[in-house]
């Protein structure tokens, strides 16, 4: 069976590197091919890396609260670049202020994300979802 | 021991004689290149002139050279078309690889080639088509598509595949299917170097597979491609360019001139510190940087593809003669005339003269227009520098101000070196090269801040690159002596 390729990184002007390293480790351990772009990743980089890697999914992390602005339009850029069926996942402190997770999830799904995760999610949950989504 | 260093250029064949024991250049002579007829005619003429000079200056008659080395950029140089997938990633990597192998890059394509691209490539008669795209295990559709199109292009060129290794078998099959009849001779002798005969085009299809220019995301891997290009040049292109006769006289294989130049700057950089260099020619502007270019400071993060320590860029649309029109298209003429205090009528006269004469312009006869030519050269330096150096953008993070850098940080470069006729023969070489230095108007560009400016007065850089293959210490010593600060 084809290995699932993930492009991952921390979006925007966000320098939180620790979670990124942990996710890189656990996703690789789980058997995925991981292209890790690190911190301070622009939408353009996510898209370009996904093209070169023929990625199956883009995993966007954001911890500093500006994720909503940083993620807006990512789905459009993917569509524009011919990445029609790519899955988009987002996780972290995704919005500013006291907003319920249901509300956050709805906003991100509206933006074209397939799955959204609140802070403190066990990486195992995401791994299970990825496996489900790609029929593993 | 005396060695002879030969540079067969598109216009001149230039010879430099070096006395290794005495550690000095004992003579330089040149004559017109005669590649159409027989390249050795021009070579022998230059050699005779050189021998006369040496006899006159040193009283050495019938000089014998214990080693003869040659570089060439004649017959159009090593013409390469490169292509990749994303412009800033594999397409850029393929261009960097071709440039650092000494190629003259005709054009770099990205994404899927179209039929009209293929026709344009065919018309440009390249020596090599370099195809890349996709990291290993990544996208292979585009590389496959492009290889399929290229397999239908006719012409005497070599195709190099340096992309996603997963595409190799499919591409190999395409070429094999095209050439079912009979693979020519040395198919078995090189594992990755297969030569096929195409029944359709009646021209051998040469294809070489090598390592991916970007095997993993963000990893630049250009050495294997460089090596393949070097081998193709030696095995096939020397003969195809009519250099066989001169190859027989030489003691080492002929190399592309830009490769000799890059090697010279590399060893010089090791000795004097980080540098940038310029070679302004009639058709292209070549820029070299020998510097690590890494971000300075902990608050600066690297973005995009890492670039090589020794970087060469070739700008085919920034030339002083053949590609002058393309260069002028990028200049805002009214501003340009004002900035350099030029006479508008003279400017247009000069542009017309250049259009008419192209390569064979007796520049000395047109003294009135020298300031205009210098101003154009200065613009070529400015534009080519802006393309070569990296950029650094300020971003605000919660942890305060931070920077994102793309490309090389060349602010700390210690020397700018000018080479090539347009700079060296100018009355104001400093004025031309100063355009490479950072000014506040450059904003985010990482251009050199306070470099010293050196001039390769004798135009000996290519010879020094060749010499470095025999005695690199001496080559460095001679460059230090001959490059004058201006």
């Amino acid at each position: 069976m084809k290995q699932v390729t993930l492009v991952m990184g921390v979006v925007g002007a966000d320098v939180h590197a620790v979670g990124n390293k942990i996710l890189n480790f656990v996703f690789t351990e789980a058997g995925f091919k991981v292209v890790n772009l690190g911190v301070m990743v622009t939408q353009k980089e996510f898209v370009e890396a996904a093209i070169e890697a023929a990625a199956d999914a883009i995993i966007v992390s954001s911890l500093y609260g500006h994720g909503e602005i940083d993620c807006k339009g990512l789905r459009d850029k993917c569509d524009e670049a011919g990445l029609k069926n790519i899955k988009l996942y987002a996780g972290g402190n995704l919005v500013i202020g006291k907003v319920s997770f249901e509300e956050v999830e709805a906003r991100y799904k509206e933006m074209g994300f397939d799955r959204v995760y609140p802070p403190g999610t066990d990486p195992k949950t995401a791994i299970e979802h990825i496996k489900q989504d790609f029929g593993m | 021991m005396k060695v002879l260093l030969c540079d067969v250029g598109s216009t001149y064949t230039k010879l430099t004689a070096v006395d290794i024991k005495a550690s000095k250049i004992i003579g330089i002579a040149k004559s017109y290149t005669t590649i159409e007829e027989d390249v050795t005619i021009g070579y022998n003429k230059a050699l005779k002139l050189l021998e006369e000079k040496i006899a006159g200056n040193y009283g050495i008659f019938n000089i014998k050279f214990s080693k003869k080395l040659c570089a060439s950029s004649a017959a159009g140089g090593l013409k390469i078309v490169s292509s990749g997938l994303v412009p800033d990633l594999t397409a850029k990597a393929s261009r960097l690889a071709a440039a650092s192998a000494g190629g003259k890059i005709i054009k770099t394509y990205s994404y899927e080639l179209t039929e009209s691209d293929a026709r344009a490539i065919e018309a440009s008669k390249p020596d090599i088509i370099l195809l890349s795209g996709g990291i290993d295990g990544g996208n292979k559709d585009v590389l496959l598509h492009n290889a399929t199109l290229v397999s239908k292009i006719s012409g005497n060129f070599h195709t190099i595949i340096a992309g996603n290794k997963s595409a190799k078998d499919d591409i190999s099959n395409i070429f094999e299917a095209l050439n079912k009849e009979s693979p020519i001779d040395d198919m078995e002798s090189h594992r990755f170097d297969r030569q096929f005969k195409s029944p359709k085009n009646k021209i051998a299809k040469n294809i070489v597979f090598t390592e991916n220019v970007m095997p993993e995301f963000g990893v630049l891997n250009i050495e294997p491609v460089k090596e393949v290009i070097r081998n193709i040049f030696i095995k096939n292109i020397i003969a195809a360019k009519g250099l066989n006769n001169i190859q027989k006289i030489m003691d080492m294989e002929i190399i592309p001139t830009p490769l000799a130049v890059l090697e010279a700057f590399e060893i010089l950089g090791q000795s004097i510190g980080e540098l940038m260099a310029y070679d302004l020619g009639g058709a292209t502007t070549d820029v070299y940087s020998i510097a690590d270019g890494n971000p300075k400071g902990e608050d600066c993060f690297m973005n995009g593809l890492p670039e090589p320590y020794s970087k060469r860029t070739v700008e085919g649309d920034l030339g002083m003669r053949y590609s002058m029109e393309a260069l002028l298209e990028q200049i805002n003429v009214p501003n340009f005339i004002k900035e350099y205090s030029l006479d508008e009528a003279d400017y247009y006269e000069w542009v017309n003269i250049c259009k008419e004469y192209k390569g064979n312009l007796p520049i000395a006869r047109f003294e009135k227009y020298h300031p205009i030519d210098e101003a154009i050269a200065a613009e070529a330096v400015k534009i080519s520098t802006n393309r070569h150096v990296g950029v650094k953008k300020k971003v605000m993070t919660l942890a305060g101000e931070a920077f994102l850098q793309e490309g090389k940080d060349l602010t700390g470069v210690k020397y700018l070196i000018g080479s090539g006729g347009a700079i060296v023969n100018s009355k104001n070489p400093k004025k031309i090269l100063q355009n490479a230095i950072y000014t506040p108007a450059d904003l985010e560009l990482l251009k050199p801040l306070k470099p010293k400016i050196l001039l390769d007065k004798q135009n000996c850089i290519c010879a020094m690159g060749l010499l470095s293959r025999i005695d690199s210490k001496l080559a460095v010593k001679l460059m230090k002596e001959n490059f004058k600060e201006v």
Side-chain angles (χ1 to χ4, degrees):
Chain A
M1 194 189 160
K2 191 188 164 281
Q3 197 182 17
V4 171
T5 302
L6 311 174
V7 166
M8 59 169 281
V10 186
V11 71
D14 195 341
V15 291
H16 291 94
V18 179
N20 173 264
K21 292 207 164 84
I22 294 171
L23 282 182
N24 185 9
F25 178 79
V26 295
F27 285 151
T28 308
E29 283 291 295
F32 304 128
K33 179 176 170 141
V34 179
V35 174
N36 184 18
L37 305 176
V39 299
M40 296 184 75
V41 181
T42 61
Q43 288 193 4
K44 179 171 172 269
E45 279 183 290
F46 276 115
V47 172
E48 291 185 343
I51 296 172
E52 293 277 6
D56 301 294
I58 294 176
I59 317 255
V60 180
S61 306
S62 178
L63 223 70
Y64 73 156
H66 299 271
E68 202 175 349
I69 304 164
D70 296 334
C71 289
K72 223 167 231 164
L74 180 60
R75 175 57 78 188
D76 295 340
K77 283 202 180 68
C78 288
D79 287 347
E80 195 72 53
L83 298 166
K84 285 277 177 201
N85 299 313
I86 197 159
K87 295 264 185 229
L88 300 182
Y89 300 73
N93 284 320
L94 293 172
V95 296
I96 299 177
K98 283 203 165 87
V99 184
S100 71
F101 177 67
E102 287 68 30
E103 168 70 24
V104 174
E105 190 177 23
R107 283 191 206 170
Y108 272 74
K109 288 207 162 158
E110 177 67 32
M111 286 196 284
F113 281 78
D114 298 281
R115 290 189 187 271
V116 190
Y117 301 98
T121 307
D122 188 331
K124 277 183 198 146
T125 316
I127 290 169
E128 281 313 308
H129 286 154
I130 295 168
K131 285 184 173 168
Q132 264 175 38
D133 289 350
F134 294 99
M136 292 169 79
Chain B
M1 182 164 119
K2 292 166 189 73
V3 296
L4 181 68
L5 309 161
C6 171
D7 175 12
V8 184
S10 47
T11 317
Y12 291 108
T13 297
K14 201 174 148 204
L15 300 180
T16 307
V18 172
D19 185 334
I20 299 230
K21 212 171 152 200
S23 300
K24 64 178 178 186
I25 295 172
I26 52 172
I28 297 176
K30 66 180 179 182
S31 179
Y32 281 107
T33 296
T34 51
I35 198 110
E36 260 94 53
E37 218 175 326
D38 175 355
V39 70
T40 54
I41 297 172
Y43 167 80
N44 284 324
K45 269 191 191 162
L47 187 61
K48 198 160 169 266
L49 281 173
L50 183 70
E51 284 170 347
E52 281 166 10
K53 272 191 187 173
I54 295 171
N57 292 337
Y58 296 93
I60 306 171
F61 296 90
N62 295 323
I63 186 166
K64 290 274 174 291
F65 295 103
S66 44
K67 274 229 162 68
K68 302 192 193 85
L69 271 68
C70 181
S72 168
S73 58
L78 174 57
K79 292 198 284 183
I80 303 180
V81 167
S82 77
S83 96
L85 180 48
V86 173
D88 280 343
L89 297 171
T90 47
K92 184 175 170 187
S94 75
R95 191 180 173 92
L96 283 170
S100 65
K104 178 172 159 187
I105 297 154
I106 302 171
K107 196 168 174 174
T108 300
Y109 293 87
S110 44
Y111 304 112
E112 286 175 345
L113 293 172
T114 63
E115 288 286 345
S116 64
D117 290 338
R119 279 196 293 278
I121 293 171
E122 192 171 87
S124 68
K125 296 196 170 68
D127 298 310
I128 288 173
I129 300 178
L130 170 61
L131 300 179
S132 69
I135 61 173
D136 283 345
N139 181 301
K140 68 172 189 175
D141 301 344
V142 170
L143 180 56
L144 201 56
H145 169 93
N146 291 349
T148 311
L149 256 187
V150 165
S151 74
K152 293 173 190 154
I153 294 177
S154 41
N156 184 18
F157 60 85
H158 292 250
T159 307
I160 301 174
I161 308 291
N164 183 358
K165 70 179 164 87
S166 313
K168 189 187 162 191
D169 292 346
D170 291 344
I171 294 172
S172 194
N173 290 339
I174 292 166
F175 278 76
E176 258 173 272
L178 259 179
N179 300 281
K180 249 180 197 158
E181 308 256 289
S182 61
I184 302 176
D185 54 36
D186 61 351
M187 182 170 163
E188 296 308 316
S189 60
H190 310 283
R191 244 175 82 216
F192 298 113
D193 186 355
R194 293 183 174 185
Q195 201 172 41
F196 299 108
K197 192 184 215 168
S198 159
K200 197 172 146 205
N201 301 325
K202 301 266 187 302
I203 285 173
K205 291 279 181 198
N206 305 294
I207 185 161
V208 185
F209 292 90
T210 186
E211 285 175 38
N212 197 340
V213 287
M214 199 175 94
E216 283 174 54
F217 186 81
V219 175
L220 188 69
N221 177 41
I222 60 177
E223 287 306 316
V225 176
K226 264 181 83 173
E227 185 62 22
V228 166
I229 294 176
R230 202 182 75 93
N231 285 334
I232 292 175
F233 186 80
I234 291 167
K235 279 203 325 217
N236 309 92
I237 293 170
I238 290 172
K241 299 265 179 199
L243 294 165
N244 254 349
N245 289 343
I246 201 160
Q247 178 66 76
K248 284 179 204 150
I249 303 170
M250 296 297 148
D251 297 303
M252 279 191 199
E253 272 131 352
I254 298 173
I255 59 170
T257 301
L259 184 62
V261 173
L262 180 64
E263 288 178 2
F265 286 131
E266 273 175 6
I267 57 158
L268 182 64
Q270 280 166 18
S271 169
I272 65 172
E274 298 193 338
L275 60 86
M276 280 185 83
Y278 292 81
D279 184 355
L280 239 66
T284 64
T285 294
D286 294 12
V287 184
Y288 302 82
S289 64
I290 312 297
D292 79 11
N294 290 335
K296 294 172 174 58
E298 278 183 1
D299 57 350
C300 189
F301 295 82
M302 202 57 202
N303 228 331
L305 202 61
E307 295 189 357
Y309 189 89
S310 306
K311 177 183 172 186
R312 168 177 179 249
T313 45
V314 195
E315 307 299 348
D317 58 348
L318 300 175
M320 295 300 295
R321 297 291 176 264
Y322 297 100
S323 41
M324 188 189 199
E325 281 170 67
L327 164 54
L328 297 178
E329 271 172 26
Q330 299 168 67
I331 296 175
N332 179 331
V333 176
N335 286 356
F336 168 73
I337 288 170
K338 219 196 271 169
E339 190 185 335
Y340 292 91
S341 325
L342 304 173
D343 182 283
E344 195 173 340
D346 284 356
Y347 167 81
Y348 286 105
E349 276 168 38
W350 178 240
V351 171
N352 285 327
I353 293 169
C354 289
K355 272 182 196 165
E356 206 177 307
Y357 282 87
K358 295 275 180 194
N360 309 311
L361 191 61
I363 177 101
R365 249 193 267 156
F366 296 96
E367 199 161 340
K368 179 182 160 193
Y369 303 106
H370 284 187
I372 301 163
D373 216 35
E374 280 165 13
I376 295 171
E379 281 301 297
V381 165
K382 188 195 275 177
I383 301 169
S384 60
T385 307
N386 294 356
R387 292 184 193 169
H388 186 98
V389 303
V391 291
K392 187 173 172 179
K393 289 186 177 132
K394 194 194 280 181
V395 283
M396 293 308 295
T397 74
L398 289 189
E401 208 173 69
F403 296 91
L404 276 179
Q405 180 184 325
E406 221 169 298
K408 287 176 97 171
D409 181 346
L410 297 171
T411 51
V413 156
K414 282 163 71 182
Y415 297 96
L416 288 180
I417 302 171
S419 177
I423 297 176
V424 172
N425 299 330
S426 140
K427 287 200 181 91
N428 294 301
K430 196 171 179 179
K431 214 166 136 193
I432 297 174
L433 285 167
Q434 259 167 352
N435 262 344
I437 300 173
Y438 183 86
T439 67
D442 289 317
L443 302 172
E444 297 160 332
L445 291 168
L446 296 165
K447 294 163 85 168
L449 296 174
K450 276 185 194 162
K452 285 182 183 163
I453 297 179
L454 306 180
L455 209 57
D456 174 17
K457 264 274 180 208
Q458 303 216 60
N459 246 329
C460 65
I461 188 71
C462 172
M464 293 303 109
L466 288 169
L467 180 62
S468 73
R469 297 190 160 213
I470 306 174
D471 187 339
S472 66
K473 268 192 189 147
L474 178 58
V476 169
K477 178 178 178 279
L478 292 178
M479 279 190 275
K480 282 184 186 166
E481 280 170 19
N482 279 292
F483 291 2
K484 301 281 183 236
E485 190 173 342
V486 287

